Amino acid sequence: MAYVNNIRMFVRVYELGSMSAAARDQRTSPAVASSRIAELEKHLGVRLFNRTTRALQPTENGKVFYDGARNVLAAIAEAEADIIDAHKNPRGTVFVAAPLGVGRRFIAPFVPAFKDEYPQIDVRLRLSDRLVDVTSEGLDVAFHMGPLADSTLKMRVIADCTRILCAAPAYIAEHGNPADGEALKDHACLNLRYPGAQEFQWALQMPDGVKRYDVTGPFESDDGDVLTSWALEGHGIILKPVFEVAEHLRSGALVPVAVNSPPLPTQLVCLYPPHKLKDTKVQLFVDFITSRCKAEMMRQTGDL
């Protein structure tokens, strides 16, 4: 088991590029992480990383060993799953990532109920609007909104999501209500921006087809809920999935704008590596959460 732990630590150090980051990921100390790598290097008789005061880089031997090490860990996980009566006694940890708005509204509220039903399965939920890398970050499941690059990940579509342009009445009273996308150049548009973001334009449905607009505004954030707060305060226009602003649309705190050029709809999907199809705890989590997420989304947006 110690050798397997050493391999697991090596893989995380390689993927995260940091001994301390890998230690946090494996819930141990940097000293233990360093010791495990040293033991592995001694066993193999080669150096796996070149270490300097500023960087940690894999050696050529480290690069070769990484691919085999990942296969070993995958084989061990599959073998363990095969011998565990997972349907009767599922256990382990599911590592999950989700966008902030989706996670707060439709995933986090159901995690305690999932834990009640499967008490030996723990959930580690990370919320961020940045683009995550499922493989390199060691995730079992990632919820995602928007277009996807080509990927080997398996995908389950949860819901088609209508999007809307909206602003506070105070903003409209001061600046007017743009008729369509062509008028947005004269308005303050609040953008979601983060490292790795793929959508830096607003894709709107015009009478002659879809057009993409480079919009600008005084503020940007990598947190979608921050943008909503700014819009509520009258600072500009936001492009949002309807479910994220449904309560504000009902109350009148936000109102639709540029209604002649609605945004393209998007999809909420669930992503997971192909080998996770055999991992019962991941299957159970995905089935449990996605069904409730879809139902709750429909409930919140049904009258809009």
Side-chain angles (χ1 to χ4, degrees), residues 269-286:
V269 301
C270 179
L271 306 172
Y272 42 92
H275 65 274
K276 294 299 180 181
L277 292 171
K278 297 183 179 181
D279 190 329
T280 303
K281 67 180 183 294
V282 174
Q283 292 179 16
L284 291 171
F285 180 82
V286 170

Side-chain angles (χ1 to χ4, degrees), residues 85-218:
D85 186 0
H87 287 288
K88 293 182 179 178
N89 191 31
R91 59 184 179 270
T93 302
V94 181
F95 293 89
V96 185
L100 287 163
V102 171
R104 288 169 176 163
R105 291 171 178 83
F106 304 112
I107 297 174
F110 297 116
V111 168
F114 176 79
K115 181 66 175 176
D116 288 342
E117 188 161 337
Y118 303 102
Q120 295 191 69
I121 301 179
D122 294 335
V123 178
R124 303 284 182 261
L125 177 60
R126 306 172 189 171
L127 301 184
S128 174
D129 280 330
R130 70 177 178 83
L131 190 65
V132 301
D133 187 315
V134 174
T135 302
S136 67
E137 296 183 38
L139 297 168
D140 296 309
V141 181
F143 294 86
H144 175 81
M145 288 197 68
L148 284 170
D150 291 340
S151 173
T152 59
L153 298 172
K154 294 294 183 181
M155 181 180 78
R156 179 188 295 189
V157 176
I158 300 172
D160 294 315
C161 303
T162 301
R163 297 194 291 180
I164 191 170
L165 293 165
C166 54
Y171 176 87
I172 295 172
E174 182 174 354
H175 302 281
N177 189 332
D180 56 27
E182 299 294 340
L184 289 177
K185 65 180 182 297
D186 298 322
H187 285 266
C189 299
L190 307 176
N191 275 304
L192 180 70
R193 297 288 177 95
Y194 52 86
Q198 296 179 353
E199 189 175 15
F200 289 100
Q201 298 173 316
W202 286 3
L204 307 181
Q205 302 173 82
M206 300 293 287
D208 55 347
V210 175
K211 290 189 177 181
R212 296 183 179 275
Y213 293 91
D214 293 304
V215 295
T216 60

